[in-house]
Amino acid sequence: MAEQGPMTEAMYYILLSLLRPGHGYGMMGRIKELSGGRLEMGPGTLYGVLSRMSREGLIVLTGEEGRRKTYAITPAGREALLAEYGRLRRLVADGAILEEAER
Amino acid sequence: MNRTYRFHPGEYELGENEKFYGDMEARGWRLERRGGCLSRFVRTEPGGARYRVEVSSRRFLEDPALAEGQLAVFEDCGWEYICSQGFLHIFRAGPGSGAPEFYNDPAEQAGTLKKVRRDLFWGAAAMVLVLALAALSILLGVWKAPGQIGAEQLKRFVQFPTAYAAYALWLAWTPWQTAWGLWKINRTYARLKRGLPLDHSPKGNRILRRALNRGLLALALLCLLLTAAQLAGVRTRDLPAEPEGPYLMLEDLGWTWERGSLYGGRESAVTYTRSLLADCWETLEVQEERAGGRQVWMRQSVYRLRFPGMAEALARALMEDAVFARGGEDFRAVEAPGLDAAWTARDMELVAVRGDLVLRVEALLEPLDRFDPQEICAALAERWAAF
């Protein structure tokens, strides 16, 4: 797996959604749900990111129902997701001074 | 009429294609199939359907079709796959389908275009290389044999001007289309990289470029049709006993042996071609002496030009492109009463001009020194005066 830099929003949410294995269309619904309706992922974006993360070993194809392909997150993907989550938490924590400044 | 055909925007104009197909459906024509230049539409209820174009990139000789998994995701989202042409894949969503846009992240779409852009760039580089090699080989050929390549080309151009025009149009069209494609794809790529989504309804006046493209295409098709008609009209038949064109017969030079055939079975024949620039006759006449087994033959290329101003240039080209002489420098001028000019070489070849008529004759007579340029010129002057 290549050295993982900061993730794009699409990668982050796709990995989050794949904590429970699913196919493309199902993932789109789950991402919308996880983001509270804020993020409506397009099928082109989704498919492009899935292909890339599959090549990078972050997700894996687990089954096919007709033309639909089911993916799941790999241990490497889970590790990358946790690392990104930690990074985002640190960013948010560092940004807490904004709230103090606003008071 | 339930079907119609329309010229569509180029394959690298993504937003323009989306708008074009959407506009057509708004007028009651639904896309059915996309070809190289034309799209086929079927009559439908006018409506506000959206069309979107997805691109795919593939390695050399790989199938450019979209992956089944990708198609399934798009269709699950409400997009109906209509057709593909090369790396373009066209989808449609009816009004009220709620199908989401393909890309919510322009940078992601830029990633797909990057591959198409790279393919186009290498395609253009290969084209430039091929054209450069072709130009180099022509230059080397001209350098090694000055005049001969140009002469051959001029001769063929007089015979098949429309084929040359179609080829020239293709040579102009291909780099123009490639350059336009590169410019368009780079512009779209830069826009997406800046984080701006693809413009699905681009403004802009395409009238001039559309007229230019259609004009070039119509002209190329016309040239090809004329070439096909010309080729269909080429007639080769046995050489008649009496000449039916401005060419000589061996009898005009005093030969009255029997008709015969060359080694390989070539018989006396005349081929007539009519082009936009000239009427052309190519003849071969073979005679054999029945008792002695001796043989003589004469071959001619005769052109009656529609533009007599080309006559001298064509005569020079025929000398450069001579069969037995090494080129124009082997020919010397001969006195030719009744003709504008005549030149001969190696006691076997003669080129002559009068007005709009140009001829080259090669003959192998018996004995060899029987080839008499003055006699041929005199016979020719008589024949052309009567023609």
Side-chain angles (χ1 to χ4, degrees), chain B residues 78-132:
Chain B
W79 288 102
E80 177 193 357
Y81 171 70
I82 304 292
C83 60
S84 295
Q85 186 235 328
F87 62 87
L88 280 193
H89 311 281
I90 302 165
F91 291 82
R92 173 188 178 277
S97 68
E101 286 299 335
F102 286 0
Y103 290 91
N104 55 305
D105 179 8
E108 194 62 43
Q109 190 167 17
T112 64
L113 280 192
K114 190 175 177 180
K115 296 174 192 166
V116 172
R117 190 167 153 254
R118 181 200 58 201
D119 292 349
L120 180 61
F121 173 80
W122 286 113
M127 186 183 69
V128 168
L129 185 69
V130 167
L131 288 177

Side-chain angles (χ1 to χ4, degrees), chain B residues 151 154-155 158 303 305 307-320 328 333 340-343 351-359:
Chain B
L154 179 64
K155 201 178 78 176
V158 167
Y303 302 82
L305 299 166
F307 303 100
M310 295 177 72
E312 191 171 337
L314 181 60
R316 297 273 167 213
L318 291 174
M319 285 189 265
E320 287 294 344
D340 293 346
W343 303 265
V351 172
V353 179
R354 200 195 78 170
D356 58 355
L357 288 162
V358 182
L359 164 142

Side-chain angles (χ1 to χ4, degrees), chain B residues 26-351:
Chain B
R27 294 206 297 271
W29 292 106
R30 181 174 171 166
L31 176 66
E32 202 174 44
R33 192 169 179 179
R34 180 184 165 101
C37 295
L38 297 167
S39 287
R40 188 173 78 199
F41 298 87
V42 63
R43 178 66 86 185
T44 187
E45 282 296 311
R50 282 181 296 154
Y51 280 83
R52 292 294 178 261
V53 171
E54 174 64 312
V55 300
S56 61
S57 182
R58 75 284 187 195
R59 291 180 195 284
F60 185 56
L61 294 181
E62 262 183 15
D63 184 3
L66 282 182
E68 286 286 308
Q70 187 173 6
L71 266 179
V73 177
F74 280 49
E75 288 180 347
D76 283 347
C77 292
W79 288 102
E80 177 193 357
Y81 171 70
I82 304 292
C83 60
S84 295
Q85 186 235 328
F87 62 87
L88 280 193
H89 311 281
I90 302 165
F91 291 82
R92 173 188 178 277
S97 68
E101 286 299 335
F102 286 0
Y103 290 91
N104 55 305
D105 179 8
E108 194 62 43
Q109 190 167 17
T112 64
L113 280 192
K114 190 175 177 180
K115 296 174 192 166
V116 172
R117 190 167 153 254
R118 181 200 58 201
D119 292 349
L120 180 61
F121 173 80
W122 286 113
M127 186 183 69
V128 168
L129 185 69
V130 167
L131 288 177
L133 285 175
L136 189 68
S137 69
I138 289 170
L139 286 174
L140 281 175
V142 169
W143 176 67
K144 280 184 76 176
Q148 278 191 3
I149 289 179
E152 169 71 16
Q153 297 304 318
L154 179 64
K155 201 178 78 176
R156 296 285 169 222
F157 175 66
V158 167
Q159 283 181 314
F160 298 101
T162 48
Y164 269 75
Y167 183 57
L169 284 168
W170 178 78
L171 281 182
W173 165 271
T174 310
W176 148 246
Q177 282 300 299
T178 307
W180 175 258
L182 267 174
W183 184 74
K184 280 300 291 184
I185 209 80
N186 277 330
R187 208 160 155 248
T188 308
Y189 179 74
R191 178 189 169 94
L192 295 171
K193 285 293 274 185
R194 285 202 307 273
L196 295 171
L198 185 75
D199 186 356
H200 301 296
S201 292
K203 307 277 184 297
N205 192 348
R206 295 179 55 234
I207 292 175
L208 186 67
R209 208 173 54 78
R210 205 157 51 182
L212 180 68
N213 282 345
R214 289 178 187 185
L216 279 173
L217 186 66
L219 211 55
L221 283 175
L222 179 69
C223 288
L224 287 176
L225 278 175
L226 287 172
T227 305
Q230 185 188 343
L231 288 172
V234 173
R235 293 278 175 272
T236 298
R237 60 193 194 93
D238 291 344
L239 192 69
E242 289 296 319
E244 294 174 359
Y247 50 85
L248 291 173
M249 306 292 284
L250 279 170
E251 192 180 352
D252 297 326
L253 307 178
W255 299 92
T256 54
W257 292 345
E258 299 282 318
R259 285 270 169 91
S261 60
L262 288 178
Y263 295 115
R266 288 194 64 193
E267 306 259 345
S268 300
V270 55
T271 300
Y272 172 69
T273 314
R274 183 185 175 88
S275 82
L276 288 180
L277 292 178
D279 292 307
C280 315
W281 293 262
E282 294 198 331
T283 72
L284 171 69
E285 185 177 7
V286 187
Q287 286 192 5
E288 285 171 355
E289 184 191 30
R290 190 173 289 174
R294 292 182 299 171
Q295 192 179 61
V296 293
W297 61 258
M298 181 165 69
R299 197 164 58 183
Q300 296 165 87
S301 303
V302 192
Y303 302 82
R304 186 169 61 188
L305 299 166
R306 315 228 184 281
F307 303 100
M310 295 177 72
E312 191 171 337
L314 181 60
R316 297 273 167 213
L318 291 174
M319 285 189 265
E320 287 294 344
D321 187 44
V323 177
F324 297 113
R326 279 173 304 187
E329 72 275 8
D330 267 10
F331 281 81
R332 61 181 170 79
V334 289
E335 285 290 319
L339 301 177
D340 293 346
W343 303 265
T344 187
R346 297 190 171 233
D347 290 337
M348 291 167 105
E349 286 181 297
L350 181 126
V351 172

Side-chain angles (χ1 to χ4, degrees), chain A residues 58-77:
Chain A
L58 300 178
I59 60 171
V60 66
L61 185 67
T62 56
E64 291 186 46
E65 301 166 38
R67 294 197 306 180
R68 286 178 166 177
K69 291 181 175 179
T70 307
Y71 294 90
I73 193 166
T74 61

